[in-house]
Amino acid sequence: MATVLESGPEGLTGGSDLAPAPDAVVVRFAGDSGDGMQLTGGQFTLSTALAGNDLATFPDFPAEIRAPQGTLFGVSAFQINFGSTEIDTAGDAPDVLVAMNPAALKTNVGALKAGGLIIADTGEFNKRNLEKAKYDVSPLEDGSLEKWQVLAFDISALTLEAVKPFGLGNKEALRCKNMWTLGLALWMFDRDRPPLIDWLKGKFAKAPVLADANIAALNAGHAYGETAELSGPLKQYHLAPAASEPGLYRTVTGAEAISYGLVAGAQLAGLDLFFGGYPITPASAILHNLARLKEFGVTTFQAEDEIAAIAAAIGASYGGHLGVTSSSGPGIALKGEAMGLAIMTELPLVIVNSQRGGPSTGLPTKTEQSDLYQAVYGRNGDAPMPVIAARSPSDAFECAIEACRLAVQYMTPVMLLTDGYIANAAEPWKVPDPAGFEPFPVTFLEEANGPDGKVLPYARDAKGARPWIKPGTPGLMHRIGGIEKNPGTGNIDYAPASHQAMTNARKDKIDGIAAGIPAQEVTLGEASGKLAVVGWGSTYGPIHQAVRRARRKGLDVSQIHVRHVWPLPENLGELLKGYDQVLVPEMNTGQFKTVLRDQYLVDAKPLNKTSGQPFTIAEIEAAIAAALA
């Protein structure tokens, strides 16, 4: 076993009594799905944000509601990358792995950096748990962990001893293990305990004994760090706060940011917001968050199914509210016909798709970007719809506002794409000044807009948008619906010329959005050169870091990250033609690559990954090097 830890080129390695702090550290908490790893990670994230570090997180948990205890497929993990420098990803490989049982060790140790630190609970490394994890002998004893530093001790027994005065049963007492572990982590990275103690008191306000027991476990873990530091591979580090602009900051997940952005978008439009949803992983958190925001004119409705959820949202838009619905890929498929209705009736609607892995039920708790075709093309008939993709949890706020703006200004449904990684991950967010956003107030039609007092519900403005008419407005009775209409009156009209005219009008309106969105800029690098790495959505972080590293090595590579996926920015085609090669990393089998080839006839090359895990920086860095070799 190696001795003392300090910073080095590979992270935390051997050295002196006072360990210099690295610029950034990656820590992964892993345990059984009942061990509270997501809670532990979330609270460590809170303490890290309060310390002023930049950070990015990656919660990774099983799809089973409660997988059998100790099994490999029941492991839940939470990774956080934090430091005093700019952080864009949750990190490629952990410096520290906290493994609460053998299964957690087996499924995660392969990702740990060479020389990294394993903290293991020996109390769980019994014969039964080793067999469940498919170990013949304990890895803590057979020398298989030699390339890492190991700190193994009985966290279970230490927790039981810490909470003994509170008279808890054995099972209930062991549930405090995650707080003991959190206490150790707080000591290791010089974090304050009072905010976590206050949180525990609030969480268990109705059960003060549980609050006191968890606080005792937290303090015991912290105290253990102080004593164990005297010998062995454990040292304390203080990572300086990251440089940041003055302002109010908070941590935010993608689901939270979208919820706040939708409310802000409705306020900027001068509308109340109606959200119709049906529970589905990982989209459910949006419904949960919006349900807490009723004071901002928000109505939430948990429908009996996906179709009812979007139908209710369309009805709300028809009645003069901003209708919103959300789901993941399987639910978006069910909503397809109703999306066509919203396109045909030309009503504003925001549809949030928190993408997850695979077709059918697939990988419910894992991340993917495989719904791009579904978003751009996936409806019957010619049914064009704007599509926007958020690149990070904090970016989801502005993307939600933009989706609201397009929906009401162009009288169209809009799809906003996130994914499981963005929805669940957290990062620091500078709370914006509301005065910095330009309002886009809605105007409802209040008097007849045709000759001789006629109402023309499909008359169009300069943007191609039809008027929005509240039902019940005196003298403005009108007809809209899913059957093809006359281009002006809205009367049912099957004439070939009418269908041609309406199809063209709907397409031209969406195509025209390209003129009203910002020109595509180069995110990092030059506007021409040997290689452009083009991304969308949550691939932003690893692409940005990989391109930055490659440029430091002198490679001619630039990054272009696209927010408006459909219609694409007007200048994107010419921009891409300024590069010798175009590489498109995405977590699917090459969907955006196909869109770029189709639209611009550029020889875009794919870099694809469908493992349910985000790209690592190293994967993209290797692809850049290979392309320029």
Side-chain angles (χ1 to χ4, degrees):
M1 186 188 298
T3 55
V4 185
L5 301 178
E6 70 174 12
S7 70
E10 293 302 320
L12 303 176
T13 56
S16 66
D17 287 338
L18 182 61
D23 289 335
V25 174
V26 180
V27 177
R28 183 181 296 182
F29 300 94
D32 192 74
S33 56
D35 284 336
M37 292 297 95
Q38 303 305 318
L39 186 66
T40 303
Q43 292 308 306
F44 187 76
T45 298
L46 173 62
S47 69
T48 299
L50 291 172
N53 296 133
D54 198 6
L55 64 94
T57 70
F58 177 48
D60 189 17
F61 41 87
E64 289 78 11
I65 293 173
R66 186 63 176 91
Q69 191 169 359
T71 57
L72 294 170
F73 57 87
V75 173
S76 178
F78 187 102
Q79 182 163 309
I80 176 171
N81 182 12
F82 61 98
S84 55
T85 186
E86 180 185 350
I87 303 293
D88 291 308
T89 78
D92 282 11
D95 299 288
V96 180
L97 170 64
V98 179
M100 302 299 286
N101 63 13
L105 179 66
K106 187 163 194 175
T107 55
N108 289 280
V109 73
L112 188 65
K113 287 180 180 177
L117 175 64
I118 298 169
I119 299 175
D121 178 10
T122 58
E124 292 292 329
F125 279 70
N126 54 46
K127 185 174 185 294
R128 183 181 180 190
N129 283 344
L130 289 168
E131 288 175 352
K132 286 182 180 179
K134 312 299 182 187
Y135 279 121
D136 295 327
V137 296
S138 173
L140 302 178
E141 301 169 357
D142 65 0
S144 61
L145 304 178
E146 286 183 348
K147 68 177 181 177
W148 298 290
Q149 301 178 86
V150 179
L151 182 63
F153 50 92
D154 197 336
I155 295 175
S156 297
L158 290 166
T159 303
L160 290 173
E161 183 65 26
V163 304
K164 190 175 181 180
F166 302 97
L168 302 180
N170 195 67
K171 184 176 181 181
E172 204 165 32
L174 285 174
R175 286 177 179 163
C176 299
K177 278 197 307 182
N178 62 333
M179 287 298 109
W180 195 101
T181 306
L182 179 58
L184 179 64
L186 293 179
W187 174 85
M188 188 174 181
F189 296 102
D190 195 21
R191 300 282 183 256
D192 292 333
R193 280 172 287 162
L196 280 302
I197 291 172
D198 291 342
W199 175 82
L200 284 167
K201 288 178 178 178
K203 179 177 175 62
F204 296 109
K206 296 182 179 179
V209 172
L210 291 180
D212 292 341
N214 278 280
I215 291 168
L218 183 81
N219 290 334
H222 193 276
Y224 185 90
E226 294 175 337
T227 54
E229 178 268 336
L230 298 175
S231 63
L234 189 65
K235 281 293 177 186
Q236 189 175 36
Y237 298 87
H238 177 80
L239 277 70
S244 59
E245 297 177 4
L248 175 64
Y249 286 81
R250 58 156 291 173
T251 57
V252 69
T253 66
E256 290 171 334
I258 284 175
S259 302
Y260 300 146
L262 291 170
V263 173
Q267 298 271 319
L268 291 168
L271 298 170
D272 287 338
L273 186 147
F274 176 92
F275 180 90
Y278 180 76
I280 184 171
T281 302
S284 301
I286 298 173
L287 172 59
H288 301 161
N289 284 300
L290 285 173
R292 304 186 188 107
L293 302 173
K294 292 182 173 63
E295 66 269 30
F296 297 105
V298 176
T299 300
T300 53
F301 168 57
Q302 181 175 314
E304 65 270 29
D305 56 44
E306 297 282 9
I307 299 170
I310 187 173
I314 292 171
S317 290
Y318 174 65
H321 286 57
L322 178 58
V324 181
T325 190
S326 82
S327 191
S328 299
I332 297 294
L334 290 169
K335 295 178 190 289
E337 182 180 2
M339 280 189 269
L341 175 62
I343 290 168
M344 201 74 166
T345 55
E346 299 187 49
L347 286 167
L349 179 71
V350 177
I351 305 148
V352 183
N353 182 354
S354 301
Q355 300 167 95
R356 67 192 210 181
S360 186
T361 306
L363 306 173
T365 61
K366 308 302 179 184
T367 195
E368 208 163 271
Q369 292 180 297
S370 50
D371 294 350
L372 184 71
Y373 286 160
Q374 184 185 45
V376 176
Y377 306 119
R379 293 161 293 281
N380 64 293
D382 284 298
M385 177 193 299
V387 180
I388 300 170
R391 73 185 194 185
S392 68
S394 58
D395 184 56
F397 177 79
E398 291 191 11
C399 287
I401 291 176
E402 176 67 352
C404 295
R405 182 186 74 84
L406 294 181
V408 299
Q409 289 193 341
Y410 291 87
M411 293 294 288
T412 178
V414 179
M415 188 172 291
L416 172 56
L417 294 175
T418 69
D419 56 41
Y421 175 60
I422 290 177
N424 294 318
E427 66 180 6
W429 177 49
K430 183 182 179 184
V431 180
D433 180 359
F437 294 93
E438 184 177 349
F440 38 88
V442 166
T443 301
F444 292 96
L445 187 67
E446 295 184 348
E447 56 185 26
N449 59 340
D452 302 323
K454 288 185 177 180
V455 179
L456 301 177
Y458 285 97
R460 300 186 183 277
D461 64 13
K463 291 187 176 73
R466 76 170 189 87
W468 197 353
I469 308 171
K470 280 189 180 181
T473 303
L476 298 187
M477 186 169 63
H478 63 288
R479 179 186 289 115
I480 61 173
I483 299 177
E484 190 60 282
K485 300 289 183 281
N486 179 273
T489 66
N491 295 327
I492 293 173
D493 192 342
Y494 292 153
S498 294
H499 180 53
Q500 184 73 59
M502 290 294 276
T503 300
N504 291 346
R506 290 187 290 264
K507 180 180 184 301
D508 291 345
K509 178 176 70 170
I510 303 306
D511 289 347
I513 290 174
I517 60 177
Q520 180 65 51
E521 296 182 351
V522 177
T523 309
L524 179 62
E526 313 302 329
S528 62
K530 291 184 178 180
L531 175 65
V533 184
V534 181
W536 64 279
S538 66
T539 56
Y540 171 82
I543 292 175
H544 191 67
Q545 291 289 350
V547 170
R548 184 157 58 181
R549 291 180 185 181
R551 289 179 62 81
R552 285 174 182 166
K553 296 175 183 176
L555 298 181
D556 185 0
V557 58
S558 299
Q559 177 190 13
I560 297 172
H561 212 77
V562 179
R563 171 184 282 184
H564 291 87
V565 173
W566 195 267
L568 294 161
E570 286 187 318
N571 68 321
L572 181 59
E574 288 303 311
L575 185 60
L576 294 181
K577 289 173 183 177
Y579 298 92
D580 297 340
Q581 298 183 70
V582 174
L583 177 69
V584 186
E586 48 187 332
M587 293 183 289
N588 56 45
T589 56
Q591 297 182 19
F592 194 50
K593 170 267 301 178
T594 302
V595 171
L596 295 178
R597 285 182 172 181
D598 168 59
Q599 293 297 301
Y600 305 125
L601 300 179
V602 295
D603 187 19
K605 299 292 176 59
L607 174 63
N608 304 132
K609 183 175 184 176
T610 55
S611 65
Q613 300 292 318
F615 275 104
T616 64
I617 301 168
E619 287 170 335
I620 297 176
E621 201 174 1
I624 291 171
L628 295 176

